[in-house]
Structures are given as C-alpha cells and as structure tokens.
Amino acid sequence: MTAKILSLGDVVRVLEDLYPLEYAEEWDEPGLIVGDVNWPVQKIYCAVDPTELTVEDAIRQGAQLMIVHHPLYFKATHTVAGSTFRGHLVTRLIENHCGLWVGHTNVDSAPRGQGVACVEALGLRDCGPLVPRKGDQQHSVSHNAPGNEGNEHHEQNSVHAVHTNDHNSGAAGLGRVGELDSPVSLADFARRVSEALPATASPIQVSGDVDRQISRVAVLPGSGDSEIAAAAASGAQVYVTSDLRHHPVLDARQETDLAFINTPHAAIEKLVFPLMMQDVPTALEKRYGASVDMELTDINTDPWNMRV
C-alpha cells in the first residue's frame, strides 16, 4: 500500500488547529504566506526567522515547507519583486516549491505554544497563562503583589491584570506562570535559564537580589516589557522575557518586588520548536494516517554576533 503524501493544505489545516489564527494579536497576520495548497509536503524545516541563510538552507535540505515564528512581512507591502530582499526570498521559495507558514502570536497564545514550551524547558510546573485570552479571564484569579496599586502601566493594562490559578494548565493566553519544585536562588535560576537556551553572543541579564529565593516564575518569550504589571500581579518573584528596556525595569524594581531575567529574543523563542516537532507529526498521523519529517535549523538568527 502506497503511503499517503500530504499536501501543503493538509499540513496547514493541522497547524491552524493546533495554533488557531484567531489567537493572534489584532496587528498580526500569521498563517500561510507562500505556497500552493496542492504542493506535496514530505519535509518541514523550522526556524525562528525567515532569513536568506535559513531559506537557502531549507531549500538545500529539500524541505517543501518552512515553519517560522517571525513574519517575513511585519507591515503591508506593495511588491514582492525579486529586487527586494523579502521579494527575493519569496521568489526562491516559489522556485523551489517550498511553502512558508508563519506561526507568530497565535503560537504565543496557543495552549501548547511558546509559554508552555518555555515552562517545560525550565522545569517548571505549569500554572496557566500569564495573560489569559479574552473570554477565558473569568476562570482566572489575581495574586496580589505589593506596589502595584499606583502603577500607571498596570492601570492602563488592567484588562490584562487578571491572572491564573493553578487549575488553568492547558488554557490559552500569552506567557505562562510556573512553579519550581523547590526554591532556588535567583542566580541559580538564571543559570538554569542560560543552560536551557541556545547559545548566542547576546548575554542573559539579571536584575534583582541574586541571593533571593525563587519559587514562582512568570515567562513571556519574546518582547515582554508591556506585561511587567501582569508579571508582578501574578505573584511571581521573577519575570523571564526579552527586549526589556531601561525605564520600565527601573520603575518596576522600585514599585514592585519583581526581579527580571532578560534573554536573547530569538533564543528563547526557539524553545517552542521541539514541542511543535512532537505535536505536529502526531496530529498529522491522527488526522491523515501520514506524517512528515521535521528538522530544526541550527542556524543562529540572533543579529548580535560579538560581545565586548
């Protein structure tokens, strides 16, 4: 009996069952960006970013689909001409019948997306989303954190200041709250974070009393300083995220008891792919009785390549 060969459309249907497009933020446009749904797919290549290096490597590896986290186009465009660098990538993908599917903020909010992947990689017990999806918030409760009463950012984002209890494992939403089996120092936990992430030239930065004992952690892979108030309200002692800016962290350190671990953006978001590489083939096999090979790139797309 001939094994079924999946189409790009088959794979996209499963991807968008696992990571529904309606989970995306309003400004985001994830989903199928390049490709004919009738193209066959036997191999999928995964990367955080669609760059010239990763696209050419996917083609060289014989992939018929690239799954990336970050969009090729963050803004609307009027051209995909090969004379532009993004248009050139689109041209190369089409020439080689390789589709491109973006799983961005929909993967961030999926029940087995970025947050759960990070919690699992750090060895935490999942307590649910840091910022539940609208409509799910009535199932969540706040943890009171000292110093938040006068936090302007917290007031502006009060819709987000409703947080998880320990019964919301498996719920959808941005970020995650997790707990350690036993407390460790902030310094030791920062080392745990470093060991879990792919190596980059960018440093992991820590803000807080390094001897403080940590038992509850808020994580938000990717840019996270817009949810500092949510992390503080969750009852976490430390917030693990990326792209933290000087003033929001300085203010939060004075207004709350929250410590911070600032990670390289692409490195922490790469953690989702091992989980995806478990879930996608399983779902394809269950739905179609067929599966695909999946490969995770070893190309580092962090733009910083030297630290002095």
Side-chain angles (χ1 to χ4, degrees), residues 224-243:
D225 65 11
S226 63
E227 298 300 344
I228 287 174
S234 74
Q237 292 99 23
V238 63
Y239 183 33
V240 181
T241 187
S242 299
D243 301 339

Side-chain angles (χ1 to χ4, degrees), residues 245-282:
R245 294 173 296 160
H246 174 90
H247 291 295
V249 172
L250 187 63
D251 289 351
R253 288 294 314 282
Q254 296 173 89
E255 295 170 344
T256 77
D257 290 332
L258 196 62
F260 295 86
I261 297 177
N262 193 33
T263 67
H265 187 123
I268 195 169
E269 290 190 322
K270 197 171 186 178
L271 296 178
V272 76
F273 286 108
L275 193 63
M276 186 180 287
M277 291 168 70
Q278 296 174 30
D279 292 352
V280 172
T282 298

Side-chain angles (χ1 to χ4, degrees), residues 25-66:
E25 299 292 293
E26 291 181 0
W27 50 265
D28 196 19
E29 295 290 341
L32 184 63
I33 307 303
V34 176
D36 185 321
V37 294
N38 295 309
W39 287 352
V41 174
Q42 295 178 287
K43 184 171 185 176
I44 297 173
Y45 181 97
C46 301
V48 175
D49 296 285
T51 66
E52 183 174 7
L53 284 176
T54 58
V55 167
E56 291 299 331
D57 195 44
I59 292 168
R60 188 162 47 248
Q61 300 295 336
Q64 294 88 28
L65 174 61
M66 276 190 80

Side-chain angles (χ1 to χ4, degrees), residues 4-293:
K4 174 179 172 62
I5 296 178
L6 296 165
S7 70
L8 179 56
D10 293 334
V11 179
V12 167
R13 278 188 285 275
V14 162
L15 287 169
E16 294 176 5
D17 282 345
L18 293 170
Y19 316 106
L21 299 186
E22 59 264 30
Y23 284 9
E25 299 292 293
E26 291 181 0
W27 50 265
D28 196 19
E29 295 290 341
L32 184 63
I33 307 303
V34 176
D36 185 321
V37 294
N38 295 309
W39 287 352
V41 174
Q42 295 178 287
K43 184 171 185 176
I44 297 173
Y45 181 97
C46 301
V48 175
D49 296 285
T51 66
E52 183 174 7
L53 284 176
T54 58
V55 167
E56 291 299 331
D57 195 44
I59 292 168
R60 188 162 47 248
Q61 300 295 336
Q64 294 88 28
L65 174 61
M66 276 190 80
I67 295 176
V68 295
H69 184 59
H70 290 140
L72 179 60
Y73 291 94
F74 270 100
K75 298 179 180 178
T77 185
H78 298 287
T79 178
V80 290
S83 55
T84 65
F85 88 86
R86 290 185 178 89
H88 175 68
L89 298 184
V90 171
T91 300
R92 291 290 293 145
L93 289 165
I94 292 173
E95 286 174 342
N96 290 275
H97 282 203
C98 182
L100 177 68
W101 187 86
V102 172
H104 193 213
T105 57
N106 56 316
V107 173
D108 290 344
S109 284
R112 283 179 59 80
Q114 284 284 2
V116 167
C118 186
V119 161
E120 290 189 359
L122 298 180
L124 305 173
R125 179 172 61 84
D126 181 20
C127 299
L130 175 65
V131 182
R133 289 192 71 235
K134 292 178 181 179
D136 294 339
Q137 293 185 5
Q138 65 270 26
H139 303 300
S140 303
V141 296
S142 292
H143 286 78
N144 293 324
N148 274 338
E149 294 81 356
N151 189 325
E152 181 182 358
H153 183 93
H154 174 71
E155 293 299 322
Q156 290 173 346
N157 291 277
S158 59
V159 69
H160 283 172
V162 182
H163 296 285
T164 80
N165 58 27
D166 292 355
H167 305 292
N168 273 337
S169 177
L174 290 172
R176 224 70 191 170
V177 177
E179 292 187 343
L180 290 155
D181 290 336
S182 57
V184 299
S185 70
L186 176 60
D188 284 343
F189 186 71
R191 293 185 189 99
R192 180 186 296 200
V193 172
S194 178
E195 290 167 1
L197 298 187
T200 67
S202 298
I204 290 174
Q205 299 166 301
V206 179
S207 178
D209 178 356
V210 295
D211 295 320
R212 183 185 182 187
Q213 294 296 292
I214 301 298
S215 60
R216 188 171 176 93
V217 180
V219 303
L220 202 164
S223 300
D225 65 11
S226 63
E227 298 300 344
I228 287 174
S234 74
Q237 292 99 23
V238 63
Y239 183 33
V240 181
T241 187
S242 299
D243 301 339
L244 288 168
R245 294 173 296 160
H246 174 90
H247 291 295
V249 172
L250 187 63
D251 289 351
R253 288 294 314 282
Q254 296 173 89
E255 295 170 344
T256 77
D257 290 332
L258 196 62
F260 295 86
I261 297 177
N262 193 33
T263 67
H265 187 123
I268 195 169
E269 290 190 322
K270 197 171 186 178
L271 296 178
V272 76
F273 286 108
L275 193 63
M276 186 180 287
M277 291 168 70
Q278 296 174 30
D279 292 352
V280 172
T282 298
L284 287 168
E285 185 68 43
K286 183 176 180 180
R287 182 162 182 168
Y288 299 111
S291 193
V292 293
D293 292 329

